[in-house]
């Protein structure tokens, strides 16, 4: 009598998994639908937008992409966004890991006060600091410069907090053993702390790249010369020039692809970092 009961258990488990997979698959399809619509519209230039007929594949061509990429400034905008995003990833991770190491493993006067001041920055909406930051950068002659748009974004309190929480779980014995071997602070940071934090560094690097690649408001405020626009700001200017919708969608697709590729390449580290952060 026990055999039929045992045989039903895998079937019940499969039904339960199917029950949970269906709403997850439906949510994934709803999330991907705007991207699908963006790509389809970009491949149907010169055709009126009529829903849902316009979302059915047919009569597709790449002329909108050729038009979007034929602009003399598109290449410059892509280069500006790439420099902005890559430099931000490198510098934010560098400063956040150094600050996280100091707050997690060092003892100095005012450490707790300084840490909670950094955390309090998370409670302040970014829009409230927009005008003070603009005035400071303007007085330092940073308008229309790469450093003017880059430097104010490097003090990332969220990244520092995550690094601190992760580094706190690194055993102190590793650091003490390195000190006994004669290693200095820089060697300890480079050879012990950074290798132990690769998962969270990859996770933060993915987030920081996406934040800066898609950043719009701050570059819009700082940059005045169209040649210095980031890609997001440049695409908005194309839309303001009443370009064809298919051309704007093609340019938006080109903007989306680098961020998507970065996530695909780093998703293994990203998922590992999220899982380890949750376990800790």
């Amino acid at each position: 009598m026990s055999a039929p009961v045992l045989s039903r258990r895998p079937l019940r488990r499969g039904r339960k998994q199917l029950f949970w997979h269906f709403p997850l698959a439906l949510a994934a399809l709803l999330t991907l639908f705007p991207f699908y619509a963006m790509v389809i519209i970009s491949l149907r230039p010169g055709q009126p937008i009529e829903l849902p007929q316009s979302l059915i594949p047919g009569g597709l061509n790449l002329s909108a992409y050729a038009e979007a990429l034929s602009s003399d400034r598109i290449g410059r905008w892509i280069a500006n966004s790439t420099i902005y995003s890559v430099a931000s990833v490198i510098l934010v991770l560098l400063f956040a890991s150094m600050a996280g190491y100091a707050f997690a493993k060092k003892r100095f006067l005012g450490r707790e006060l300084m840490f909670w001041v950094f955390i309090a920055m998370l409670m302040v909406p970014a829009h409230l600091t927009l005008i003070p930051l603009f005035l400071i950068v303007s007085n330092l002659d940073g308008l229309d410069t790469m450093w003017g748009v880059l430097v104010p974004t490097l003090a990332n309190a969220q990244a520092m907090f995550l690094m601190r929480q992760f580094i706190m779980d690194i055993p102190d014995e590793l650091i003490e053993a390195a000190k006994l071997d004669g290693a200095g602070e820089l060697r300890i940071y480079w050879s012990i702390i950074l290798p132990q934090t690769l998962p969270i560094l990859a996770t933060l690097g993915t987030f920081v790249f996406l934040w800066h690649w898609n950043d719009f408001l701050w570059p819009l405020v700082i940059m005045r010369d169209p040649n210095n626009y980031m890609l997001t700001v440049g695409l908005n200017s194309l839309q303001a020039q009443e370009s064809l919708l298919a051309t704007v969608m093609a340019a938006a697709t080109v903007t989306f692809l680098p961020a998507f590729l970065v996530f695909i390449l780093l998703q293994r580290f990203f998922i590992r970092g999220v899982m380890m952060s949750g376990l800790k």
Side-chain angles (χ1 to χ4, degrees), residues 214-233:
N214 296 318
D215 195 7
F216 174 77
L217 183 58
W218 178 242
L220 176 66
V221 171
I222 291 298
M223 297 301 186
R224 305 294 179 84
D225 187 353
N227 290 323
N228 295 331
Y229 283 170
M230 303 300 156
L231 189 55
T232 51
V233 181

Side-chain angles (χ1 to χ4, degrees), residues 25-81:
L26 181 61
L29 290 176
L30 292 175
T31 302
L32 292 174
F33 180 76
F35 300 104
Y36 169 79
M38 177 179 67
V39 174
I40 290 298
I41 293 174
S42 69
L43 294 173
R44 303 186 66 173
Q47 301 182 27
I49 304 301
E50 298 178 356
L51 300 178
Q53 293 85 348
S54 297
L55 300 180
I56 301 175
L60 307 180
N61 64 77
L62 299 174
S63 61
Y65 288 86
E67 182 178 353
L69 297 175
S70 64
S71 174
D72 297 335
R73 292 174 177 171
I74 288 289
R76 181 68 180 270
W77 294 341
I78 293 176
N80 291 340
S81 290

Side-chain angles (χ1 to χ4, degrees), residues 6-276:
L6 293 175
S7 64
R8 292 194 190 99
R9 288 181 179 176
L11 181 60
R12 292 176 180 176
R13 188 179 298 112
R15 289 177 178 176
K16 184 179 294 186
Q17 291 178 351
L18 181 62
F19 174 78
W20 286 110
H21 288 171
F22 178 76
L24 292 176
L26 181 61
L29 290 176
L30 292 175
T31 302
L32 292 174
F33 180 76
F35 300 104
Y36 169 79
M38 177 179 67
V39 174
I40 290 298
I41 293 174
S42 69
L43 294 173
R44 303 186 66 173
Q47 301 182 27
I49 304 301
E50 298 178 356
L51 300 178
Q53 293 85 348
S54 297
L55 300 180
I56 301 175
L60 307 180
N61 64 77
L62 299 174
S63 61
Y65 288 86
E67 182 178 353
L69 297 175
S70 64
S71 174
D72 297 335
R73 292 174 177 171
I74 288 289
R76 181 68 180 270
W77 294 341
I78 293 176
N80 291 340
S81 290
T82 301
I83 295 172
Y84 178 49
S85 302
V86 173
S88 297
V89 169
I90 295 173
L91 295 176
V92 168
L93 293 186
L94 176 65
F95 296 148
S97 59
M98 286 183 172
Y101 172 48
F103 282 121
K105 297 299 183 181
K106 296 301 174 184
R107 301 291 183 269
F108 53 88
L109 182 63
R111 185 187 68 166
E112 294 300 321
L113 177 61
M114 291 178 61
F115 173 73
W116 288 110
V117 167
F118 268 100
I119 297 303
M121 293 172 58
L122 297 175
M123 311 300 174
V124 181
H127 298 82
L128 293 181
T129 62
L130 196 63
I131 295 177
L133 282 178
F134 175 81
L135 294 176
I136 293 173
V137 173
S138 177
N139 290 331
L140 295 175
D141 295 328
L143 297 181
D144 249 350
T145 63
M146 184 59 68
W147 74 263
V149 73
L150 177 63
V151 170
T153 66
L154 299 183
N156 193 312
Q158 184 177 1
M160 183 276 298
F161 173 75
L162 293 176
M163 291 299 304
R164 173 188 178 268
Q165 298 304 109
F166 203 92
I167 294 173
M168 284 180 67
D169 291 319
I170 297 177
D172 293 335
E173 289 76 8
L174 289 176
I175 300 175
E176 295 299 329
K179 289 181 178 179
L180 291 176
D181 290 338
E185 292 295 342
L186 184 59
R187 182 63 182 272
I188 293 173
Y189 166 77
W190 185 261
S191 300
I192 295 179
I193 301 300
L194 287 185
Q196 295 290 328
T197 58
L198 285 180
I200 193 65
L201 286 174
T203 303
L204 284 175
T206 305
F207 278 128
V208 172
F209 182 88
L210 296 178
W211 289 336
H212 288 81
W213 182 265
N214 296 318
D215 195 7
F216 174 77
L217 183 58
W218 178 242
L220 176 66
V221 171
I222 291 298
M223 297 301 186
R224 305 294 179 84
D225 187 353
N227 290 323
N228 295 331
Y229 283 170
M230 303 300 156
L231 189 55
T232 51
V233 181
L235 293 181
N236 183 72
S237 68
L238 287 180
Q239 189 172 5
Q241 296 170 10
E242 299 183 357
S243 299
L244 294 176
L245 180 60
T247 303
V248 176
M249 291 296 101
T253 303
V254 172
T255 305
F256 164 74
L257 285 178
F260 179 71
L261 292 176
V262 167
F263 178 78
I264 292 298
L265 293 174
L266 297 179
Q267 65 172 337
R268 178 167 61 92
F269 300 99
F270 176 80
I271 296 173
R272 182 184 173 194
V274 171
M275 292 179 62
M276 293 183 69

